């Protein structure tokens, strides 16, 4: 299968959708999946038991909700069905409240219908639309799925919700819990022995972790916005903690103190409430003290890439069951969707990847219309029907790589990066482009290095608080504040160094990994760098396509995990980010750093330009631990444009960006 790219049809288009293969909606086949979800179901009601207790091998008691198909009288059907498991830390009481809202008589239908019909024109609408496009069915109780002949089980992670124990955040013990729960499920009389896992965010990571452990009963996974490399995605990007982590920890720690009112009285009578309270008092704010201590002193290993993270990252290459992953180019785990797909050692079809041009809080918001993918609940049902029930519904023929191309539209293909792109390189030069007078420096991206040495000064500011970086670190919540937080970076660029290419003469695709090599110096002993790559429209608006960051002391590369062209040009940088691999940063002496950028997929329309923006910081997307701030105090950072040590962007493209191809066609397989 190859991408059908119609260049002639696209040449006159404004944003580029006409050149893409228009089958992301799945055609008649996907309409049959949707009709199966929206039509009448074999079972009229569901039976919900919210007080199930599972005892783990170490004696810890997990609390669960079991949802089974039921007859008209609400009695559970005795027929065994496949089971769909969701394990998450967000408290089943919250999931219950969402379920009650979406399934309340009259109200639920109004909420779903109204949200699905909201326009996509602003951030609030994008987030609101998720209630009508299937996301919350994947996250919580999916009554329609159960009524079609599944049992659904939702479990509070140990130490959260109503479960006992101490929350350990995706730890090996928590992974063992998943395996034990799957085994327990497969042996219940109401389960036919086939188990699937699903979820969004944390529960998606949990699903990938469990799949990597290969429990025999786990037959399929449907994971929405999970993470493959937790430390580089969100915990410690480029050696800098994310503001998202303390906010998220505070949220989960707060929710774990909320008793479930559905079982409150029974828990008191059985003594479960006492055990629950005992465990909460033992660990009232899990991970928060160590996070604060590490941030202030750098004396906690979790401020570095440590075995703590290695044992929490899913072993994706060990997964054998069919796996469908959903991601977003500006998701918190933006790197992970494409990397999970690449690491899965199975044939396309058994593995599927869908990536939207969105954030962590809005997956599926534009699904369900012609030319766009089916709703998430429709895809989930089709996936489990195929791999848990053996129904020949051709879902394995969908995709397998379904992407919303930034600047373009949805399409399906068979590979990422897209077929036809080859490595290119553009150099940062001092010559003005005439397009970024608002920036601290207006430079150019050109096919040859700077002609003479020049030093450009850059200092940190707070403009990152009004940028796409803040939208990303708030999981997309900030997009409700307007275009400066999502579609136009000119406000942030006023504090940065900009380098812009010539306009493209024809639609040009940029797809895959990127690397930005910079020659930099600082007057202190630490440098803090944040970068974006943007699409600049003829009207001057500048839309961030991808981003990255790096502290200079973390510049050491792990060559065994990097991606190089056959000619040795670095295309995808992976830094050690460990304590022992940190390098000294000499004052006033240039060093070379490679800033890894989130992989992406873009089409630049005719007349558009590619831009690189370089900043001395981007708060609060990237925070700096206090010891590094002390090293960097009073610093003056510089980007050194030197023809003998050039700064350049390496990327993959199929058109003319004024960039000479890197003298290589194939990419090395080493990662």
């Amino acid at each position: 299968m190859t991408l059908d790219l119609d260049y002639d049809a696209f040449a006159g288009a404004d944003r580029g959708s006409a050149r893409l293969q228009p089958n992301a909606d799945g055609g008649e086949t996907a309409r049959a999946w949707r009709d199966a979800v929206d039509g009448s179901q074999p079972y009229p009601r569901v039976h919900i038991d919210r007080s199930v207790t599972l005892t783990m091998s170490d004696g810890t008691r997990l609390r669960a909700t079991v949802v089974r198909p039921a007859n008209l009288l609400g009695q559970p059907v005795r027929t065994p069905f496949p089971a769909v498991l969701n394990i998450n830390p967000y408290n089943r009481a919250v999931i219950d409240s969402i379920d009650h809202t979406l399934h309340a008589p009259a109200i639920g239908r109004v909420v779903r219908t109204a949200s699905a019909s909201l326009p996509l024109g602003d951030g609030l609408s994008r987030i609101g639309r998720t209630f009508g496009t299937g996301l919350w069915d994947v996250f919580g109780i999916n009554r329609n799925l159960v009524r079609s002949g599944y049992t659904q089980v939702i479990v509070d992670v140990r130490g959260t919700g109503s479960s006992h124990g101490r929350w350990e955040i995706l730890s090996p013990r928590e992974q063992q819990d998943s395996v034990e729960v799957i085994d327990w499920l497969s042996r219940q009389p109401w389960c036919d022995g086939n188990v699937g896992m699903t979820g969004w965010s944390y529960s998606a990571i949990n699903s990938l972790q469990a799949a990597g452990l290969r429990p025999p009963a786990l037959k399929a996974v449907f994971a929405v916005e999970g993470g493959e490399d937790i430390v580089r995605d969100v915990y410690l990007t480029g050696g800098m903690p994310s503001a998202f982590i303390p906010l998220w920890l505070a949220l989960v720690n707060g929710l774990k103190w909320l008793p479930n009112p559905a079982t409150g009285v029974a828990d008191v009578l059985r003594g479960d409430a006492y055990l629950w309270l005992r465990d909460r008092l033992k660990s009232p704010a899990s991970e928060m003290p160590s996070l604060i201590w590490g941030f202030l002193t750098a004396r906690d290993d979790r401020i570095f890439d440590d075995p703590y993270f290695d044992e929490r990252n899913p072993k994706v290459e060990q997964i054998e069951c069919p796996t469908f992953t959903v991601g977003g180019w500006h998701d918190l785990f933006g790197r992970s969707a494409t990397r999970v797909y690449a690491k899965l050692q199975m044939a396309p079809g058994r593995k599927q990847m869908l990536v939207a041009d969105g954030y962590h809080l809005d997956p599926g918001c534009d699904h369900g219309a012609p030319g766009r993918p089916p709703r998430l609940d429709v895809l989930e049902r089709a996936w489990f029907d195929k791999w848990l029930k053996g129904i020949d519904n051709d879902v394995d023929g969908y995709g397998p790589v379904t992407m919303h191309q930034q600047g373009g539209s949805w399409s399906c293909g068979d590979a990422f990066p897209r077929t036809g792109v080859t490595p290119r390189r553009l150099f940062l030069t001092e010559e003005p482009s005439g397009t970024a007078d608002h920036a601290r420096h207006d430079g150019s991206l050109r096919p040859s290095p700077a002609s003479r040495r020049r030093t450009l000064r850059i200092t940190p500011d707070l403009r990152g608080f009004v940028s796409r970086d803040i939208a990303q670190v708030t999981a997309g919540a900030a997009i409700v504040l307007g275009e400066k937080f999502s579609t136009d970076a000119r406000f942030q660029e006023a504090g940065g160094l900009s380098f812009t290419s010539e306009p493209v003469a024809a639609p040009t695709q940029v797809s895959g990994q990127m690397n930005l090599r910079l020659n930099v110096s600082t007057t202190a002993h630490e440098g803090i760098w944040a970068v974006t790559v943007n699409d600049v429209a003829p009207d001057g608006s500048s839309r961030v396509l991808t981003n990255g960051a790096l502290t200079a002391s973390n510049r050491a590369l792990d060559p065994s995990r990097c991606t190089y062209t056959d000619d040795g040009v670095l295309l995808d940088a992976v830094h050690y980010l460990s304590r022992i691999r940190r390098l000294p940063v000499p004052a006033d002496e240039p060093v070379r750093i490679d800033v890894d950028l989130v992989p992406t997929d873009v089409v630049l329309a005719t007349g558009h330009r590619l831009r690189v923006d370089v900043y001395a910081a981007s708060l609060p997307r990237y925070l700096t631990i206090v010891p590094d701030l002390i090293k960097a105090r009073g610093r003056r950072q510089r980007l050194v444009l030197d023809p003998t040590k050039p700064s350049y962007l390496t990327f993959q493209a199929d058109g003319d960006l004024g960039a000479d191809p890197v003298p290589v066609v194939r990419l090395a397989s080493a990662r």
Side-chain angles (χ1 to χ4, degrees):
M1 179 180 177
T2 57
L3 288 172
D4 180 14
L5 303 178
D6 186 355
Y7 286 84
D8 293 334
F10 183 76
D14 180 38
R15 295 298 291 170
S17 59
R19 76 187 289 183
L20 303 175
Q21 188 173 331
N23 63 346
D25 60 14
E28 291 296 330
T29 302
R31 280 188 278 279
W33 306 337
R34 183 198 62 201
D35 292 343
V37 172
D38 293 344
S40 62
Q41 303 303 327
Y43 304 98
R45 298 182 63 183
V46 300
H47 177 273
I48 303 179
D49 184 349
R50 306 182 195 275
S51 60
V52 177
T53 299
L54 292 73
T55 302
M56 299 294 98
S57 58
D58 65 350
T60 300
R61 304 175 72 182
L62 306 186
R63 305 302 300 279
T65 295
V66 176
V67 190
R68 297 170 58 187
N71 59 25
L72 280 171
L73 299 177
Q75 299 169 327
V77 177
R78 294 185 178 182
T79 305
F81 299 102
V84 174
L85 173 64
N86 180 311
I87 306 177
N88 76 61
Y90 298 115
N91 199 319
R92 286 175 304 123
V94 174
I95 292 174
D96 286 348
S97 67
I98 296 171
D99 174 61
H100 292 320
T101 300
L102 293 180
H103 294 97
I107 296 175
R109 183 178 296 275
V110 169
V111 169
R112 289 177 181 270
T113 302
S115 63
S117 61
L118 288 171
L120 276 167
D122 60 66
L124 186 61
S125 295
R126 289 183 64 89
I127 295 172
R129 281 177 59 88
T130 60
F131 288 94
T133 52
L135 174 64
W136 298 95
D137 295 295
V138 175
F139 175 71
I141 295 175
N142 190 339
R143 295 190 181 213
N144 225 17
L145 179 70
V146 173
R147 290 175 54 235
S148 73
Y150 288 88
T151 295
Q152 188 177 16
V153 179
I154 299 174
V155 181
D156 285 328
V157 167
R158 66 166 54 216
T160 71
S162 297
S163 288
H164 301 171
R166 177 178 177 272
W167 184 39
E168 299 178 7
I169 308 182
L170 300 167
S171 68
R173 176 61 252 187
E174 192 176 302
Q175 296 171 49
Q176 180 61 29
D177 289 347
S178 297
V179 172
E180 293 180 15
V181 171
I182 291 168
D183 178 65
W184 176 84
L185 278 178
S186 69
R187 293 185 285 103
Q188 299 309 300
W190 36 258
C191 178
D192 67 3
N194 297 303
V195 179
M197 288 192 76
T198 190
W200 172 30
S201 191
Y202 192 104
S203 49
I205 300 173
N206 184 295
S207 300
L208 295 171
Q209 286 179 323
L213 297 175
R214 300 177 182 174
L218 183 59
K219 303 297 175 61
V221 165
F222 189 87
V224 178
E225 295 186 335
E228 172 267 342
D229 188 337
I230 299 167
V231 65
R232 286 168 179 79
D233 276 336
V234 67
Y235 249 91
L236 201 66
T237 305
M240 288 173 277
S242 166
F244 172 79
I245 293 300
L247 296 173
W248 173 73
L249 284 174
L251 171 67
V252 179
N253 275 298
L255 289 176
K256 78 180 187 182
W257 282 93
L258 177 66
N260 194 328
T263 61
V265 174
D267 288 347
V268 170
L269 295 176
R270 288 194 302 253
D272 280 327
Y274 164 75
L275 297 174
W276 172 86
L277 181 60
R278 178 202 63 186
D279 289 344
R280 293 300 179 273
L281 291 172
K282 286 181 179 179
S283 179
S286 303
E287 301 288 342
M288 292 292 286
S290 60
L291 179 75
I292 295 170
W293 176 250
F295 184 81
L296 294 176
T297 67
R299 293 181 181 176
D300 189 289
D301 287 336
R302 281 162 286 193
I303 294 298
F304 303 96
D305 191 6
D306 182 77
Y308 173 90
F309 293 106
D310 294 337
E311 63 189 13
R312 284 163 168 77
N313 286 331
K315 304 300 185 287
V316 176
E317 62 279 358
Q318 297 180 17
I319 294 176
E320 294 180 339
C321 66
T323 300
F324 196 121
T325 63
V326 177
W329 298 126
H330 303 283
D331 178 30
L332 291 163
F333 303 104
R335 293 171 170 80
S336 286
T338 55
R339 295 191 183 192
V340 168
Y341 184 81
K343 284 187 172 183
L344 287 169
Q345 303 298 303
M346 61 185 73
R350 284 178 61 86
K351 64 175 180 177
Q352 298 257 354
M353 176 186 94
L354 184 152
V355 188
D357 184 10
Y359 303 87
H360 199 65
L361 287 177
D362 65 356
C365 70
D366 67 342
H367 290 202
R372 299 170 183 170
R375 300 190 319 254
L376 290 177
D377 60 325
V378 172
L379 288 170
E380 179 194 44
R381 163 83 179 274
W383 193 248
F384 287 142
D385 278 354
K386 169 69 178 181
W387 301 112
L388 298 186
K389 290 187 173 182
I391 297 173
D392 187 13
N393 59 9
D394 292 326
V395 71
D396 51 328
Y398 182 70
V401 175
T402 306
M403 300 184 292
H404 192 174
Q405 192 171 47
Q406 294 193 74
S409 188
W410 285 97
S411 67
C412 288
D414 60 355
F416 178 83
R418 288 183 183 269
T419 303
V421 297
T422 55
R424 310 295 177 95
R425 183 164 50 194
L426 284 171
F427 294 87
L428 281 62
T429 69
E430 65 168 346
E431 292 87 354
S433 71
T435 65
D437 292 339
H438 57 284
R440 293 194 182 185
H441 178 78
D442 173 24
S444 294
L445 289 177
R446 296 197 170 180
S448 56
S451 58
R452 63 185 181 89
R453 193 177 192 275
R454 182 173 176 185
T455 299
L456 303 175
R457 293 185 178 182
I458 184 71
T459 56
D461 61 27
L462 299 179
R463 289 177 175 269
F465 278 91
V466 183
S467 70
R468 202 164 202 176
D469 281 345
I470 190 69
Q472 187 179 39
V473 80
T474 58
I479 64 176
V480 304
L481 300 175
E483 63 181 13
K484 290 181 180 178
F485 297 84
S486 59
T487 58
D488 196 345
R490 283 178 287 187
F491 178 82
Q492 186 186 22
E493 286 176 344
L497 309 173
S498 285
F499 302 87
T500 311
S501 73
E502 293 295 317
V504 296
T508 301
Q509 294 188 116
V510 178
S511 185
Q513 300 90 345
M514 297 185 190
N515 182 70
L516 182 64
R517 171 158 288 187
L518 297 176
N519 193 39
V520 298
S521 70
T522 176
T523 57
H525 292 284
E526 183 59 282
I528 300 161
W529 298 93
V531 302
T532 64
V533 176
N534 300 12
D535 174 358
V536 182
D539 66 2
S541 60
S542 179
R543 184 185 182 105
V544 173
L545 304 171
T546 182
N547 60 359
L550 187 69
T551 51
S553 60
N554 282 297
R555 64 188 182 276
L557 295 169
D558 181 353
S560 68
R561 300 176 64 191
C562 294
T563 301
Y564 299 85
T565 64
D566 286 348
D567 207 33
V569 176
L570 182 63
L571 187 61
D572 184 23
V574 179
H575 303 88
Y576 285 108
L577 303 184
S578 62
R579 186 192 301 271
I580 62 173
R581 294 284 189 168
R582 301 190 94 191
L583 299 175
V585 180
D588 295 314
E589 182 179 327
V591 297
R592 305 185 79 181
I593 64 173
D594 291 283
V595 183
D596 59 301
L597 295 152
V598 177
T600 194
D601 189 68
V602 177
V603 59
L604 298 176
T606 301
H608 285 234
R609 304 168 186 253
L610 200 66
R611 172 176 292 166
V612 169
D613 287 328
V614 180
Y615 303 98
S618 183
L619 295 170
R621 173 65 181 92
Y622 310 107
L623 303 178
T624 308
I625 60 176
V626 172
D628 285 350
L629 279 176
I630 293 172
K631 290 180 183 178
R633 65 187 185 277
R635 73 188 186 280
R636 294 187 297 278
Q637 293 184 199
R638 301 182 180 95
L639 174 62
V640 182
L641 301 178
D642 187 336
T644 64
K645 296 179 180 178
S647 297
Y648 54 85
L649 176 70
T650 306
F651 58 100
Q652 298 173 85
D654 70 349
D656 182 12
L657 269 160
D660 292 332
V662 176
V664 171
V665 174
R666 299 181 308 279
L667 299 181
S669 60
R671 288 184 180 273

